[in-house]
Amino acid sequence: QDDGVMGGRSETLHHVSSSSALNFTGHINTNGGGFTSIRAPLPVKFPANAEALKVTFRGDGKTYKILLTDGSGGGPSSRSPSWQVDLPTTNKKTQTDDDDDDEPDVQILSFQDFLPSFGPRAVPPGKYELDITEMNQIGVMLSLKLSDGRPNPPETFGVGEFDFSLWVEKIEVILKEEKEGKIDDTCET
């Protein structure tokens, strides 16, 4: 979904490479808008002992957001929020199917750090609680706003019209071992 729903002119292209990496790329135009996003259904529900996502990616220096929703919308008119966390990236050469010259970035995104949001508006703390087992969709967004509702600075977003590119190579679920406190990252999304 691009900002065209609000009268904007941003465009998104996305495809999955032969190595199963998601290429989220496009052009942002902040005249009348300023965000672009993609969402997909989760292949399986998160288990109750899921505690984080491990994201392997190559970015362009912009700060993206990872989104989770229960599938009921999560936008300004929704009854349930989307849950967002910032994904800052470094400016790396984007991957091609045969390009292994540099290592991707890896970040652990704790579910405790995901913040509720209705569109560009953050929600006051304590009003909603994330139930990870109720999430049905995952997404990526590039927006004028960070997850906490503050402006995404020009250095990590852009100004006017600009291109963007994010390769998401893998997203894994990190599980908390209830008895021993170990982390098991064998569940892949």
Side-chain angles (χ1 to χ4, degrees), residues 1-3 11-15 21-26 28 34-42 53 55-60 62-69 82-89 109 114 137-143 145 147 152 157 164-171 189:
Q1 180 173 354
D2 296 328
D3 57 12
E11 297 176 359
T12 300
L13 303 171
H14 57 277
H15 76 276
L22 169 68
N23 182 9
F24 176 52
T25 185
I28 292 272
F35 76 88
T36 186
S37 68
I38 57 172
R39 294 181 191 202
L42 287 169
L53 296 176
V55 183
T56 304
F57 62 95
R58 296 170 195 267
D60 56 5
K62 296 180 179 10
T63 297
Y64 293 82
K65 296 189 273 192
I66 299 294
L67 311 171
L68 298 173
T69 72
S82 66
W83 293 86
Q84 309 177 359
V85 68
D86 294 331
L87 181 71
T89 70
L109 305 174
F114 279 72
Q137 291 182 338
I138 189 165
V140 179
M141 176 180 269
L142 180 60
S143 170
K145 301 284 185 175
S147 294
N152 194 347
F157 178 66
F164 66 91
S165 180
L166 176 69
W167 281 87
V168 179
E169 296 182 14
K170 189 178 345 180
I171 298 177
T189 300

Short mmCIF file of all heavy atoms in Angstrom, two decimals, residues 1-3 11-15 21-26 28 34-42 53 55-60 62-69 82-89 109 114 137-143 145 147 152 157 164-171 189:
data_model
loop_
_atom_site.label_atom_id
_atom_site.label_comp_id
_atom_site.label_asym_id
_atom_site.label_seq_id
_atom_site.Cartn_x
_atom_site.Cartn_y
_atom_site.Cartn_z
N GLN A 1 0.85 -1.17 0.00
CA GLN A 1 0.00 0.00 0.00
C GLN A 1 0.89 1.22 0.00
O GLN A 1 1.82 1.34 0.79
CB GLN A 1 -0.88 -0.02 1.24
CG GLN A 1 -1.79 1.14 1.32
CD GLN A 1 -2.76 0.99 2.49
OE1 GLN A 1 -2.82 -0.01 3.15
NE2 GLN A 1 -3.51 2.02 2.72
N ASP A 2 0.63 2.12 -0.90
CA ASP A 2 1.39 3.36 -0.97
C ASP A 2 0.51 4.51 -0.50
O ASP A 2 -0.67 4.34 -0.23
CB ASP A 2 1.86 3.61 -2.40
CG ASP A 2 2.84 2.54 -2.88
OD1 ASP A 2 3.58 2.02 -2.04
OD2 ASP A 2 2.83 2.22 -4.08
N ASP A 3 1.10 5.70 -0.46
CA ASP A 3 0.37 6.87 0.02
C ASP A 3 -0.70 7.33 -0.95
O ASP A 3 -1.41 8.29 -0.68
CB ASP A 3 1.32 8.00 0.36
CG ASP A 3 2.21 8.41 -0.81
OD1 ASP A 3 1.94 7.99 -1.95
OD2 ASP A 3 3.18 9.12 -0.56
N GLU A 11 5.51 5.19 -5.26
CA GLU A 11 5.34 3.93 -5.97
C GLU A 11 6.26 2.87 -5.39
O GLU A 11 7.41 3.16 -5.08
CB GLU A 11 5.67 4.10 -7.45
CG GLU A 11 4.76 5.07 -8.17
CD GLU A 11 5.19 5.29 -9.62
OE1 GLU A 11 6.20 4.70 -10.05
OE2 GLU A 11 4.51 6.05 -10.31
N THR A 12 5.74 1.67 -5.28
CA THR A 12 6.50 0.55 -4.75
C THR A 12 6.59 -0.56 -5.79
O THR A 12 5.62 -0.86 -6.46
CB THR A 12 5.82 -0.05 -3.50
OG1 THR A 12 5.72 0.95 -2.52
CG2 THR A 12 6.59 -1.21 -2.95
N LEU A 13 7.75 -1.14 -5.87
CA LEU A 13 7.95 -2.37 -6.63
C LEU A 13 8.48 -3.38 -5.64
O LEU A 13 9.25 -3.05 -4.74
CB LEU A 13 8.97 -2.16 -7.74
CG LEU A 13 8.66 -1.05 -8.74
CD1 LEU A 13 9.87 -0.80 -9.64
CD2 LEU A 13 7.44 -1.40 -9.56
N HIS A 14 8.08 -4.62 -5.77
CA HIS A 14 8.67 -5.64 -4.92
C HIS A 14 8.63 -6.97 -5.64
O HIS A 14 7.74 -7.23 -6.45
CB HIS A 14 7.96 -5.73 -3.56
CG HIS A 14 6.51 -5.98 -3.64
ND1 HIS A 14 5.59 -4.97 -3.85
CD2 HIS A 14 5.79 -7.12 -3.56
CE1 HIS A 14 4.38 -5.47 -3.88
NE2 HIS A 14 4.46 -6.77 -3.70
N HIS A 15 9.68 -7.75 -5.40
CA HIS A 15 9.72 -9.10 -5.95
C HIS A 15 10.59 -9.96 -5.05
O HIS A 15 11.36 -9.46 -4.23
CB HIS A 15 10.22 -9.09 -7.40
CG HIS A 15 11.69 -8.90 -7.54
ND1 HIS A 15 12.28 -7.66 -7.54
CD2 HIS A 15 12.70 -9.80 -7.68
CE1 HIS A 15 13.59 -7.79 -7.67
NE2 HIS A 15 13.87 -9.07 -7.76
N ALA A 21 15.03 -13.77 -1.34
CA ALA A 21 15.09 -12.47 -0.67
C ALA A 21 13.99 -11.57 -1.22
O ALA A 21 13.68 -11.60 -2.41
CB ALA A 21 16.45 -11.81 -0.89
N LEU A 22 13.38 -10.77 -0.34
CA LEU A 22 12.38 -9.80 -0.75
C LEU A 22 13.08 -8.50 -1.11
O LEU A 22 13.83 -7.95 -0.29
CB LEU A 22 11.39 -9.54 0.39
CG LEU A 22 10.45 -8.35 0.17
CD1 LEU A 22 9.47 -8.62 -0.97
CD2 LEU A 22 9.72 -8.00 1.45
N ASN A 23 12.84 -8.00 -2.30
CA ASN A 23 13.37 -6.71 -2.72
C ASN A 23 12.22 -5.72 -2.68
O ASN A 23 11.32 -5.76 -3.50
CB ASN A 23 13.97 -6.80 -4.12
CG ASN A 23 14.58 -5.49 -4.57
OD1 ASN A 23 14.71 -4.54 -3.80
ND2 ASN A 23 14.95 -5.41 -5.83
N PHE A 24 12.25 -4.83 -1.65
CA PHE A 24 11.25 -3.79 -1.47
C PHE A 24 11.89 -2.50 -1.95
O PHE A 24 12.80 -1.96 -1.32
CB PHE A 24 10.88 -3.72 0.01
CG PHE A 24 9.92 -2.62 0.39
CD1 PHE A 24 8.72 -2.45 -0.26
CD2 PHE A 24 10.22 -1.79 1.46
CE1 PHE A 24 7.83 -1.45 0.12
CE2 PHE A 24 9.34 -0.79 1.85
CZ PHE A 24 8.14 -0.63 1.18
N THR A 25 11.47 -2.01 -3.10
CA THR A 25 12.11 -0.87 -3.73
C THR A 25 11.06 0.04 -4.35
O THR A 25 9.93 -0.36 -4.55
CB THR A 25 13.13 -1.35 -4.79
OG1 THR A 25 13.85 -0.24 -5.31
CG2 THR A 25 12.46 -2.08 -5.93
N GLY A 26 11.45 1.26 -4.62
CA GLY A 26 10.51 2.17 -5.25
C GLY A 26 10.95 3.61 -5.19
O GLY A 26 12.14 3.91 -5.03
N ILE A 28 9.69 7.43 -3.50
CA ILE A 28 8.84 8.20 -2.58
C ILE A 28 8.71 9.62 -3.12
O ILE A 28 9.68 10.22 -3.56
CB ILE A 28 9.46 8.27 -1.17
CG1 ILE A 28 9.46 6.90 -0.51
CG2 ILE A 28 8.76 9.30 -0.30
CD1 ILE A 28 8.23 6.55 0.26
N GLY A 34 3.89 10.43 1.55
CA GLY A 34 5.20 10.20 2.15
C GLY A 34 5.35 8.86 2.83
O GLY A 34 6.08 8.75 3.80
N PHE A 35 4.68 7.83 2.34
CA PHE A 35 4.95 6.50 2.87
C PHE A 35 4.67 5.46 1.80
O PHE A 35 3.97 5.70 0.82
CB PHE A 35 4.10 6.19 4.11
CG PHE A 35 2.66 5.86 3.83
CD1 PHE A 35 2.27 4.55 3.57
CD2 PHE A 35 1.70 6.85 3.80
CE1 PHE A 35 0.95 4.24 3.30
CE2 PHE A 35 0.37 6.55 3.54
CZ PHE A 35 -0.01 5.24 3.29
N THR A 36 5.24 4.30 2.01
CA THR A 36 4.99 3.16 1.17
C THR A 36 5.16 1.91 2.02
O THR A 36 5.99 1.89 2.94
CB THR A 36 5.92 3.17 -0.07
OG1 THR A 36 5.54 2.11 -0.94
CG2 THR A 36 7.36 3.07 0.31
N SER A 37 4.35 0.89 1.75
CA SER A 37 4.44 -0.32 2.57
C SER A 37 3.98 -1.53 1.79
O SER A 37 3.27 -1.41 0.79
CB SER A 37 3.61 -0.17 3.85
OG SER A 37 2.23 -0.14 3.54
N ILE A 38 4.38 -2.68 2.26
CA ILE A 38 3.89 -3.95 1.76
C ILE A 38 3.56 -4.82 2.96
O ILE A 38 4.17 -4.68 4.03
CB ILE A 38 4.90 -4.66 0.83
CG1 ILE A 38 6.23 -4.89 1.54
CG2 ILE A 38 5.09 -3.89 -0.45
CD1 ILE A 38 7.19 -5.74 0.76
N ARG A 39 2.57 -5.68 2.79
CA ARG A 39 2.17 -6.61 3.86
C ARG A 39 1.90 -7.97 3.23
O ARG A 39 1.50 -8.05 2.07
CB ARG A 39 0.93 -6.14 4.58
CG ARG A 39 1.13 -4.88 5.35
CD ARG A 39 -0.11 -4.45 6.07
NE ARG A 39 0.08 -3.09 6.57
CZ ARG A 39 -0.60 -2.57 7.54
NH1 ARG A 39 -1.54 -3.26 8.14
NH2 ARG A 39 -0.37 -1.34 7.95
N ALA A 40 2.09 -8.98 4.04
CA ALA A 40 1.81 -10.35 3.59
C ALA A 40 1.30 -11.15 4.78
O ALA A 40 1.63 -10.87 5.93
CB ALA A 40 3.09 -10.99 3.04
N PRO A 41 0.49 -12.17 4.50
CA PRO A 41 0.04 -13.03 5.59
C PRO A 41 1.21 -13.82 6.17
O PRO A 41 2.13 -14.19 5.44
CB PRO A 41 -0.99 -13.96 4.94
CG PRO A 41 -0.78 -13.84 3.47
CD PRO A 41 -0.06 -12.56 3.21
N LEU A 42 1.18 -14.04 7.46
CA LEU A 42 2.18 -14.90 8.08
C LEU A 42 1.91 -16.33 7.65
O LEU A 42 0.75 -16.77 7.65
CB LEU A 42 2.11 -14.80 9.61
CG LEU A 42 2.63 -13.52 10.22
CD1 LEU A 42 2.25 -13.45 11.70
CD2 LEU A 42 4.13 -13.41 10.05
N LEU A 53 12.07 -11.10 16.57
CA LEU A 53 12.34 -11.44 15.18
C LEU A 53 13.81 -11.17 14.90
O LEU A 53 14.35 -10.15 15.33
CB LEU A 53 11.49 -10.59 14.23
CG LEU A 53 9.99 -10.76 14.28
CD1 LEU A 53 9.31 -9.78 13.34
CD2 LEU A 53 9.60 -12.20 13.95
N VAL A 55 16.07 -10.34 11.85
CA VAL A 55 15.92 -9.89 10.47
C VAL A 55 17.30 -9.76 9.84
O VAL A 55 18.18 -9.08 10.39
CB VAL A 55 15.18 -8.54 10.40
CG1 VAL A 55 14.97 -8.11 8.96
CG2 VAL A 55 13.84 -8.62 11.13
N THR A 56 17.49 -10.42 8.71
CA THR A 56 18.73 -10.35 7.94
C THR A 56 18.42 -9.54 6.68
O THR A 56 17.49 -9.89 5.94
CB THR A 56 19.22 -11.76 7.57
OG1 THR A 56 19.36 -12.52 8.78
CG2 THR A 56 20.55 -11.71 6.84
N PHE A 57 19.18 -8.45 6.44
CA PHE A 57 18.79 -7.52 5.39
C PHE A 57 19.97 -6.71 4.88
O PHE A 57 21.04 -6.69 5.49
CB PHE A 57 17.71 -6.56 5.92
CG PHE A 57 18.19 -5.71 7.07
CD1 PHE A 57 18.70 -4.44 6.85
CD2 PHE A 57 18.15 -6.20 8.36
CE1 PHE A 57 19.16 -3.67 7.91
CE2 PHE A 57 18.61 -5.44 9.43
CZ PHE A 57 19.11 -4.17 9.20
N ARG A 58 19.77 -6.03 3.77
CA ARG A 58 20.71 -5.05 3.21
C ARG A 58 19.89 -3.79 2.92
O ARG A 58 18.87 -3.87 2.24
CB ARG A 58 21.33 -5.56 1.91
CG ARG A 58 22.18 -6.79 2.10
CD ARG A 58 22.57 -7.38 0.75
NE ARG A 58 23.07 -8.71 0.89
CZ ARG A 58 24.36 -9.03 1.02
NH1 ARG A 58 25.27 -8.08 1.00
NH2 ARG A 58 24.73 -10.28 1.14
N GLY A 59 20.34 -2.67 3.44
CA GLY A 59 19.57 -1.45 3.31
C GLY A 59 20.26 -0.38 2.51
O GLY A 59 21.30 -0.60 1.90
N ASP A 60 19.67 0.81 2.58
CA ASP A 60 20.15 1.96 1.83
C ASP A 60 20.40 3.18 2.72
O ASP A 60 20.49 4.29 2.24
CB ASP A 60 19.14 2.32 0.73
CG ASP A 60 17.75 2.58 1.28
OD1 ASP A 60 17.56 2.59 2.52
OD2 ASP A 60 16.83 2.79 0.46
N LYS A 62 18.31 4.22 5.07
CA LYS A 62 17.04 4.76 5.55
C LYS A 62 16.54 3.95 6.74
O LYS A 62 16.96 2.82 6.97
CB LYS A 62 16.00 4.75 4.43
CG LYS A 62 16.41 5.67 3.27
CD LYS A 62 15.42 5.67 2.17
CE LYS A 62 15.77 6.57 1.03
NZ LYS A 62 17.04 7.17 0.94
N THR A 63 15.63 4.53 7.53
CA THR A 63 15.01 3.81 8.64
C THR A 63 13.63 3.36 8.21
O THR A 63 12.74 4.17 7.95
CB THR A 63 14.92 4.69 9.90
OG1 THR A 63 16.25 5.02 10.33
CG2 THR A 63 14.22 3.94 11.03
N TYR A 64 13.49 2.05 8.11
CA TYR A 64 12.23 1.41 7.75
C TYR A 64 11.51 1.00 9.03
O TYR A 64 12.02 1.17 10.13
CB TYR A 64 12.49 0.18 6.87
CG TYR A 64 13.05 0.53 5.52
CD1 TYR A 64 14.41 0.78 5.35
CD2 TYR A 64 12.23 0.61 4.40
CE1 TYR A 64 14.94 1.12 4.11
CE2 TYR A 64 12.74 0.94 3.15
CZ TYR A 64 14.10 1.20 3.02
OH TYR A 64 14.61 1.53 1.78
N LYS A 65 10.33 0.43 8.88
CA LYS A 65 9.60 -0.14 10.02
C LYS A 65 9.17 -1.55 9.65
O LYS A 65 8.80 -1.81 8.51
CB LYS A 65 8.36 0.69 10.35
CG LYS A 65 8.66 2.10 10.82
CD LYS A 65 7.43 2.80 11.34
CE LYS A 65 6.65 3.49 10.27
NZ LYS A 65 5.62 4.40 10.80
N ILE A 66 9.23 -2.44 10.63
CA ILE A 66 8.62 -3.75 10.50
C ILE A 66 7.26 -3.66 11.18
O ILE A 66 7.14 -3.12 12.28
CB ILE A 66 9.49 -4.84 11.16
CG1 ILE A 66 10.87 -4.92 10.49
CG2 ILE A 66 8.78 -6.19 11.13
CD1 ILE A 66 10.85 -5.38 9.04
N LEU A 67 6.22 -4.15 10.51
CA LEU A 67 4.85 -4.05 11.00
C LEU A 67 4.28 -5.44 11.28
O LEU A 67 4.56 -6.38 10.54
CB LEU A 67 3.94 -3.41 9.93
CG LEU A 67 4.38 -2.13 9.26
CD1 LEU A 67 3.46 -1.81 8.10
CD2 LEU A 67 4.35 -1.01 10.27
N LEU A 68 3.46 -5.52 12.28
CA LEU A 68 2.67 -6.72 12.56
C LEU A 68 1.23 -6.27 12.76
O LEU A 68 0.98 -5.23 13.39
CB LEU A 68 3.15 -7.42 13.82
CG LEU A 68 4.58 -7.95 13.81
CD1 LEU A 68 4.96 -8.46 15.19
CD2 LEU A 68 4.72 -9.04 12.76
N THR A 69 0.27 -7.03 12.21
CA THR A 69 -1.14 -6.72 12.43
C THR A 69 -1.92 -8.02 12.61
O THR A 69 -1.46 -9.09 12.24
CB THR A 69 -1.78 -5.94 11.26
OG1 THR A 69 -1.95 -6.81 10.15
CG2 THR A 69 -0.96 -4.73 10.87
N SER A 82 -1.80 -1.44 14.37
CA SER A 82 -0.66 -2.18 13.83
C SER A 82 0.45 -2.00 14.87
O SER A 82 0.44 -1.05 15.65
CB SER A 82 -0.24 -1.66 12.46
OG SER A 82 0.27 -0.35 12.55
N TRP A 83 1.36 -2.94 14.89
CA TRP A 83 2.49 -2.90 15.83
C TRP A 83 3.75 -2.68 15.02
O TRP A 83 3.99 -3.39 14.04
CB TRP A 83 2.54 -4.20 16.62
CG TRP A 83 1.34 -4.32 17.52
CD1 TRP A 83 0.11 -4.82 17.19
CD2 TRP A 83 1.25 -3.85 18.85
NE1 TRP A 83 -0.74 -4.70 18.26
CE2 TRP A 83 -0.07 -4.12 19.30
CE3 TRP A 83 2.15 -3.25 19.74
CZ2 TRP A 83 -0.51 -3.80 20.57
CZ3 TRP A 83 1.71 -2.94 21.01
CH2 TRP A 83 0.40 -3.21 21.42
N GLN A 84 4.54 -1.67 15.38
CA GLN A 84 5.67 -1.23 14.57
C GLN A 84 6.94 -1.15 15.40
O GLN A 84 6.89 -0.80 16.58
CB GLN A 84 5.40 0.15 14.00
CG GLN A 84 4.10 0.31 13.29
CD GLN A 84 3.87 1.74 12.82
OE1 GLN A 84 4.68 2.63 13.05
NE2 GLN A 84 2.75 1.96 12.16
N VAL A 85 8.04 -1.42 14.74
CA VAL A 85 9.35 -1.20 15.33
C VAL A 85 10.27 -0.70 14.22
O VAL A 85 10.15 -1.12 13.06
CB VAL A 85 9.91 -2.48 16.01
CG1 VAL A 85 10.23 -3.56 14.99
CG2 VAL A 85 11.11 -2.17 16.89
N ASP A 86 11.14 0.23 14.56
CA ASP A 86 12.06 0.81 13.57
C ASP A 86 13.15 -0.19 13.20
O ASP A 86 13.63 -0.95 14.04
CB ASP A 86 12.70 2.08 14.11
CG ASP A 86 11.69 3.20 14.33
OD1 ASP A 86 10.66 3.23 13.61
OD2 ASP A 86 11.92 4.04 15.21
N LEU A 87 13.53 -0.15 11.93
CA LEU A 87 14.61 -0.96 11.39
C LEU A 87 15.59 -0.03 10.69
O LEU A 87 15.49 0.23 9.49
CB LEU A 87 14.07 -2.02 10.41
CG LEU A 87 15.11 -2.95 9.80
CD1 LEU A 87 15.63 -3.92 10.85
CD2 LEU A 87 14.51 -3.71 8.63
N PRO A 88 16.54 0.55 11.46
CA PRO A 88 17.54 1.41 10.82
C PRO A 88 18.46 0.58 9.94
O PRO A 88 18.81 -0.55 10.29
CB PRO A 88 18.33 2.00 12.00
CG PRO A 88 17.60 1.60 13.24
CD PRO A 88 16.72 0.45 12.90
N THR A 89 18.82 1.12 8.80
CA THR A 89 19.71 0.40 7.89
C THR A 89 20.97 1.20 7.63
O THR A 89 21.00 2.41 7.84
CB THR A 89 19.01 0.09 6.55
OG1 THR A 89 18.83 1.30 5.81
CG2 THR A 89 17.66 -0.59 6.76
N LEU A 109 14.81 -7.90 16.77
CA LEU A 109 13.74 -6.96 17.10
C LEU A 109 12.83 -7.62 18.14
O LEU A 109 12.01 -8.48 17.81
CB LEU A 109 12.94 -6.60 15.84
CG LEU A 109 13.76 -6.06 14.66
CD1 LEU A 109 12.87 -5.90 13.43
CD2 LEU A 109 14.44 -4.77 15.03
N PHE A 114 7.97 -3.39 20.00
CA PHE A 114 6.96 -3.01 19.02
C PHE A 114 5.95 -2.08 19.67
O PHE A 114 5.49 -2.32 20.78
CB PHE A 114 6.25 -4.25 18.47
CG PHE A 114 7.01 -4.97 17.39
CD1 PHE A 114 8.16 -5.69 17.68
CD2 PHE A 114 6.57 -4.92 16.07
CE1 PHE A 114 8.86 -6.35 16.70
CE2 PHE A 114 7.27 -5.58 15.07
CZ PHE A 114 8.42 -6.30 15.38
N GLN A 137 -0.41 -10.86 9.99
CA GLN A 137 0.29 -10.25 8.86
C GLN A 137 1.60 -9.65 9.32
O GLN A 137 1.73 -9.21 10.47
CB GLN A 137 -0.52 -9.12 8.24
CG GLN A 137 -1.75 -9.53 7.52
CD GLN A 137 -2.46 -8.33 6.89
OE1 GLN A 137 -2.28 -7.18 7.31
NE2 GLN A 137 -3.26 -8.58 5.88
N ILE A 138 2.55 -9.62 8.39
CA ILE A 138 3.82 -8.94 8.62
C ILE A 138 4.05 -8.00 7.45
O ILE A 138 3.59 -8.27 6.33
CB ILE A 138 4.98 -9.96 8.78
CG1 ILE A 138 6.26 -9.25 9.24
CG2 ILE A 138 5.18 -10.77 7.50
CD1 ILE A 138 7.32 -10.20 9.76
N GLY A 139 4.71 -6.88 7.70
CA GLY A 139 4.94 -5.92 6.63
C GLY A 139 6.20 -5.12 6.85
O GLY A 139 6.83 -5.17 7.90
N VAL A 140 6.52 -4.35 5.82
CA VAL A 140 7.65 -3.42 5.83
C VAL A 140 7.12 -2.09 5.36
O VAL A 140 6.31 -2.02 4.42
CB VAL A 140 8.79 -3.90 4.90
CG1 VAL A 140 9.95 -2.91 4.91
CG2 VAL A 140 9.27 -5.29 5.27
N MET A 141 7.56 -1.01 6.01
CA MET A 141 7.10 0.33 5.66
C MET A 141 8.27 1.30 5.67
O MET A 141 9.18 1.18 6.49
CB MET A 141 6.05 0.81 6.65
CG MET A 141 5.58 2.24 6.43
SD MET A 141 4.34 2.77 7.64
CE MET A 141 2.86 2.30 6.78
N LEU A 142 8.23 2.26 4.76
CA LEU A 142 9.10 3.43 4.80
C LEU A 142 8.16 4.62 4.92
O LEU A 142 7.24 4.77 4.11
CB LEU A 142 9.96 3.53 3.55
CG LEU A 142 10.91 4.73 3.48
CD1 LEU A 142 11.90 4.73 4.64
CD2 LEU A 142 11.65 4.75 2.15
N SER A 143 8.37 5.44 5.96
CA SER A 143 7.39 6.47 6.28
C SER A 143 8.04 7.75 6.78
O SER A 143 9.15 7.72 7.32
CB SER A 143 6.46 5.92 7.37
OG SER A 143 5.63 6.92 7.88
N LYS A 145 7.15 9.08 9.35
CA LYS A 145 7.11 8.96 10.81
C LYS A 145 7.83 7.69 11.26
O LYS A 145 7.75 6.65 10.62
CB LYS A 145 5.66 8.89 11.31
CG LYS A 145 4.81 10.07 10.94
CD LYS A 145 5.13 11.25 11.79
CE LYS A 145 4.18 12.41 11.47
NZ LYS A 145 4.38 13.52 12.36
N SER A 147 8.36 4.77 14.38
CA SER A 147 7.37 3.96 15.10
C SER A 147 6.76 4.68 16.30
O SER A 147 5.61 4.43 16.65
CB SER A 147 8.01 2.65 15.57
OG SER A 147 8.35 1.88 14.45
N ASN A 152 10.60 10.99 10.91
CA ASN A 152 11.77 10.26 10.43
C ASN A 152 12.69 11.33 9.83
O ASN A 152 12.32 11.98 8.86
CB ASN A 152 11.35 9.23 9.38
CG ASN A 152 12.42 8.21 9.07
OD1 ASN A 152 13.57 8.37 9.44
ND2 ASN A 152 12.02 7.16 8.36
N PHE A 157 15.37 9.25 6.05
CA PHE A 157 14.16 9.11 5.24
C PHE A 157 14.41 9.67 3.85
O PHE A 157 14.43 8.94 2.89
CB PHE A 157 12.97 9.82 5.91
CG PHE A 157 11.70 9.74 5.10
CD1 PHE A 157 11.08 8.53 4.89
CD2 PHE A 157 11.14 10.89 4.56
CE1 PHE A 157 9.92 8.44 4.12
CE2 PHE A 157 9.97 10.81 3.80
CZ PHE A 157 9.37 9.59 3.58
N PHE A 164 14.28 4.33 -2.98
CA PHE A 164 14.63 3.54 -1.80
C PHE A 164 14.78 2.08 -2.22
O PHE A 164 14.27 1.66 -3.26
CB PHE A 164 13.57 3.68 -0.70
CG PHE A 164 12.23 3.10 -1.06
CD1 PHE A 164 11.92 1.78 -0.76
CD2 PHE A 164 11.28 3.87 -1.72
CE1 PHE A 164 10.70 1.24 -1.11
CE2 PHE A 164 10.05 3.34 -2.06
CZ PHE A 164 9.76 2.01 -1.76
N SER A 165 15.51 1.32 -1.40
CA SER A 165 15.70 -0.10 -1.67
C SER A 165 16.08 -0.84 -0.40
O SER A 165 17.03 -0.46 0.29
CB SER A 165 16.79 -0.29 -2.73
OG SER A 165 16.97 -1.67 -3.00
N LEU A 166 15.35 -1.88 -0.10
CA LEU A 166 15.63 -2.74 1.05
C LEU A 166 15.51 -4.19 0.61
O LEU A 166 14.47 -4.58 0.05
CB LEU A 166 14.64 -2.46 2.19
CG LEU A 166 14.76 -3.35 3.43
CD1 LEU A 166 16.06 -3.06 4.18
CD2 LEU A 166 13.56 -3.15 4.34
N TRP A 167 16.57 -4.96 0.85
CA TRP A 167 16.55 -6.41 0.60
C TRP A 167 16.37 -7.09 1.94
O TRP A 167 17.21 -6.95 2.83
CB TRP A 167 17.85 -6.86 -0.02
CG TRP A 167 17.97 -6.58 -1.49
CD1 TRP A 167 18.44 -5.43 -2.06
CD2 TRP A 167 17.63 -7.46 -2.55
NE1 TRP A 167 18.39 -5.55 -3.42
CE2 TRP A 167 17.90 -6.78 -3.75
CE3 TRP A 167 17.10 -8.75 -2.59
CZ2 TRP A 167 17.68 -7.36 -4.99
CZ3 TRP A 167 16.89 -9.32 -3.83
CH2 TRP A 167 17.18 -8.62 -5.02
N VAL A 168 15.29 -7.82 2.11
CA VAL A 168 15.09 -8.62 3.33
C VAL A 168 15.40 -10.06 2.95
O VAL A 168 14.66 -10.69 2.19
CB VAL A 168 13.64 -8.49 3.87
CG1 VAL A 168 13.46 -9.34 5.11
CG2 VAL A 168 13.32 -7.03 4.16
N GLU A 169 16.52 -10.54 3.47
CA GLU A 169 16.98 -11.88 3.10
C GLU A 169 16.31 -12.97 3.91
O GLU A 169 16.05 -14.06 3.40
CB GLU A 169 18.49 -11.96 3.22
CG GLU A 169 19.18 -11.02 2.24
CD GLU A 169 20.68 -11.10 2.28
OE1 GLU A 169 21.23 -12.05 2.87
OE2 GLU A 169 21.31 -10.19 1.72
N LYS A 170 16.03 -12.66 5.19
CA LYS A 170 15.43 -13.69 6.04
C LYS A 170 14.83 -13.04 7.27
O LYS A 170 15.37 -12.08 7.80
CB LYS A 170 16.52 -14.68 6.47
CG LYS A 170 16.00 -15.89 7.17
CD LYS A 170 17.03 -16.94 7.59
CE LYS A 170 18.38 -16.89 7.03
NZ LYS A 170 19.27 -17.93 7.52
N ILE A 171 13.70 -13.58 7.72
CA ILE A 171 13.11 -13.20 9.00
C ILE A 171 12.87 -14.49 9.77
O ILE A 171 12.17 -15.39 9.29
CB ILE A 171 11.78 -12.43 8.83
CG1 ILE A 171 12.01 -11.13 8.06
CG2 ILE A 171 11.16 -12.15 10.20
CD1 ILE A 171 10.74 -10.34 7.77
N THR A 189 10.15 -17.70 9.49
CA THR A 189 8.95 -17.15 8.86
C THR A 189 9.26 -16.77 7.43
O THR A 189 10.26 -16.24 7.13
CB THR A 189 8.47 -15.90 9.62
OG1 THR A 189 8.20 -16.30 10.95
CG2 THR A 189 7.22 -15.34 9.00
#
